[in-house]
Amino acid sequence: MRSIEKQLNQPSFDTTALNKMYENIHAVKELKKVAIKLEKKERKQLSAEAIFEKTYPSVFMFIQVYKDKNGMRKVNGAGTAFPISADGYFIVNKHMVNEFGIGSGDPTKVNKELKVMLSSNTGDLYYIDSIVTYSGEADIAILKADLKGDKIKPFALGDDLKTGAEVFVLSHPKNYIYYFSAGRIARFTEAGNRGLFSRKMEITADYAAGSSGGPIIDNKGNIAGLVSSTRSFYYDQANQKNLQMVVKETIPVSTIKGLLNP
């Protein structure tokens, strides 16, 4: 984080570009279909070690920038984000941008005090141009970043897997950046007859706060889903005593595809 903060405090740092995403974040873009040039799916099965090495450069930090009492720019923690196109379309959770007044329909309700950027594994910083679509029910948002002409390696979107399939999570829980965990799909759920955007995929791979926006990766390096939330089960649920298990609730890749033009 120190290297990032050093960049943020350089005289050349462009503070005006931090405001670009606020120009239209109030616009109602719920379930808007977007056309994105996607990568071809990977077909070769890889070892867990190879998956980490392959995907590590494709996982970004979603950072909040603020000023301390001395006027120095600081980073307030890190969420997770990942690209799905070479020209800068990224996936995050919708709950990660709720505080900004996304989709309010009223530009006066946009919270411009919050400043966010993306950071790569090498510490390169990228401004966010806009939020192009989202689903509140599915907890997905797709944003467009300004890559400054840099080349990045996006993830390919895979297909929905089956219960029992091996999956991996690479994210930043509680600022433990690039934490890699493995598990399996425990089950799929769907709320009543609400369909695609109510689908959930529960997994046993570990994650925590800060992992929001993190990729769920299959054994070929493709995206199988998106981190969303956790649900804790206690023996005494009413008083939250004697924790027994934590269910990791994620969003399957088919739901992400629901926001894209075929």
Side-chain angles (χ1 to χ4, degrees):
M1 295 296 182
R2 288 182 180 177
S3 64
I4 293 174
E5 291 177 346
K6 185 176 180 180
Q7 291 183 70
L8 294 173
N9 287 287
Q10 292 294 321
S12 59
F13 180 72
D14 183 4
T15 57
T16 60
L18 283 171
N19 295 317
K20 183 71 182 297
M21 68 176 285
Y22 303 113
E23 292 176 4
N24 63 6
I25 198 169
H26 64 279
V28 180
K29 298 181 180 179
E30 180 93 19
L31 302 182
K32 178 184 176 183
K33 295 268 191 175
V34 293
I36 297 175
K37 186 177 180 180
L38 300 174
E39 299 291 295
K40 291 183 178 179
K41 288 180 288 190
E42 302 287 352
R43 302 290 182 182
K44 183 181 178 182
Q45 186 169 330
L46 302 171
S47 67
E49 295 90 341
I51 288 170
F52 176 80
E53 291 298 327
K54 179 182 178 67
T55 61
Y56 172 78
S58 301
V59 177
F60 286 64
M61 287 183 280
F62 183 88
I63 60 172
Q64 186 175 5
V65 180
Y66 72 101
K67 283 188 176 182
D68 67 12
K69 62 182 180 181
N70 298 314
M72 299 296 290
R73 295 187 188 90
K74 297 284 188 179
V75 173
N76 182 23
T80 311
F82 61 90
I84 58 170
S85 74
D87 57 348
Y89 287 95
F90 283 75
I91 302 288
V92 295
N93 290 120
K94 202 265 187 175
H95 75 251
M96 295 166 67
V97 292
N98 278 343
E99 292 180 84
F100 300 98
I102 182 173
S104 66
D106 182 353
T108 66
K109 293 183 178 179
V110 174
N111 185 353
K112 295 182 180 179
E113 296 301 312
L114 297 172
K115 311 293 185 184
V116 289
M117 299 187 76
L118 296 172
S119 174
S120 71
N121 67 304
T122 55
D124 293 310
L125 296 175
Y126 299 101
Y127 298 103
I128 298 170
D129 282 344
S130 61
I131 309 296
V132 298
T133 186
Y134 57 89
S135 166
E137 182 176 21
D139 194 24
I140 303 169
I142 301 179
L143 59 84
K144 181 68 169 61
D146 178 4
L147 298 180
K148 307 176 295 186
D150 291 351
K151 291 184 178 180
I152 61 171
K153 175 60 178 173
F155 279 96
L157 297 183
D159 297 311
D160 279 355
L161 303 175
K162 295 181 179 180
T163 299
E166 186 177 31
V167 289
F168 304 89
V169 179
L170 184 52
S171 62
H172 314 302
K174 295 291 186 180
N175 284 341
Y176 282 67
I177 61 172
Y178 294 99
Y179 189 93
F180 188 60
S181 65
R184 297 192 178 276
I185 296 174
R187 69 170 188 162
F188 289 89
T189 65
E190 188 173 305
N193 296 315
R194 296 212 306 268
L196 178 65
F197 291 99
S198 73
R199 290 179 186 170
K200 298 293 184 237
M201 178 177 73
E202 294 165 1
I203 67 172
T204 62
D206 223 1
Y207 61 79
S211 297
S212 291
I216 312 298
I217 307 165
D218 70 17
N219 61 12
K220 301 177 181 67
N222 301 307
I223 293 299
L226 169 68
V227 166
S228 181
S229 61
T230 64
R231 185 173 300 177
S232 299
F233 291 161
Y234 297 83
Y235 181 79
D236 181 351
Q237 194 72 26
N239 296 301
Q240 295 193 345
K241 292 183 178 179
N242 299 325
L243 179 66
Q244 294 188 315
M245 66 183 292
V246 179
V247 173
K248 306 300 193 300
E249 196 171 73
T250 74
I251 303 151
V253 68
S254 57
T255 305
I256 297 173
K257 291 178 179 179
L259 291 173
L260 306 177
N261 279 324

